[in-house]
Amino acid sequence: MFKHHCFPKSIILQAVYFKLRFSLSYRDVEELMEIRGVKVDHATIQRWVFKFTPILDKEFRKRKKRVGMSWRMDEKKCNF
């Protein structure tokens, strides 16, 4: 999945995490990565996000634990 990229897996995942978790612009993520000593262009970060987000989402959904079979809602009336 991460083969043939110039940056290690940890750097790519960190950049994608910053973009998705904090809703930052690509230039903001570029600046954060530069503060951490990684010089990467915002266009490269955009390509990483487009490429790896569907793959990561698929993996996360596979690992997500199943919730119970039935859902019950409390029928108490709330007075606001």
Side-chain angles (χ1 to χ4, degrees):
M1 180 158 103
F2 293 96
K3 289 182 181 179
H4 310 294
H5 288 279
C6 296
F7 291 92
K9 176 181 174 180
S10 60
I11 300 295
I12 295 171
L13 288 176
Q14 187 176 37
V16 173
Y17 172 77
F18 283 150
K19 175 61 181 156
L20 298 177
R21 173 62 177 91
F22 301 110
S23 300
L24 300 171
S25 70
Y26 293 110
R27 291 185 190 269
D28 289 339
V29 176
E30 176 185 5
E31 187 177 326
L32 281 172
M33 298 304 286
E34 193 169 335
I35 290 170
R36 287 164 171 71
V38 178
K39 180 70 175 144
V40 62
D41 189 49
H42 64 277
T44 303
I45 297 170
Q46 181 183 27
R47 285 192 297 271
W48 290 345
V49 170
F50 288 157
K51 181 177 181 178
F52 293 114
T53 299
I55 297 168
L56 292 172
D57 184 50
K58 186 177 176 183
E59 284 298 315
F60 291 147
R61 289 184 187 275
K62 277 199 285 187
R63 296 172 190 220
K64 185 178 177 183
K65 292 184 180 180
R66 188 175 177 167
V67 292
M69 293 296 290
S70 66
W71 289 78
R72 297 205 184 355
M73 181 175 243
D74 188 13
E75 295 180 11
K76 262 181 154 176
K77 186 175 179 180
C78 296
N79 295 325
F80 290 104

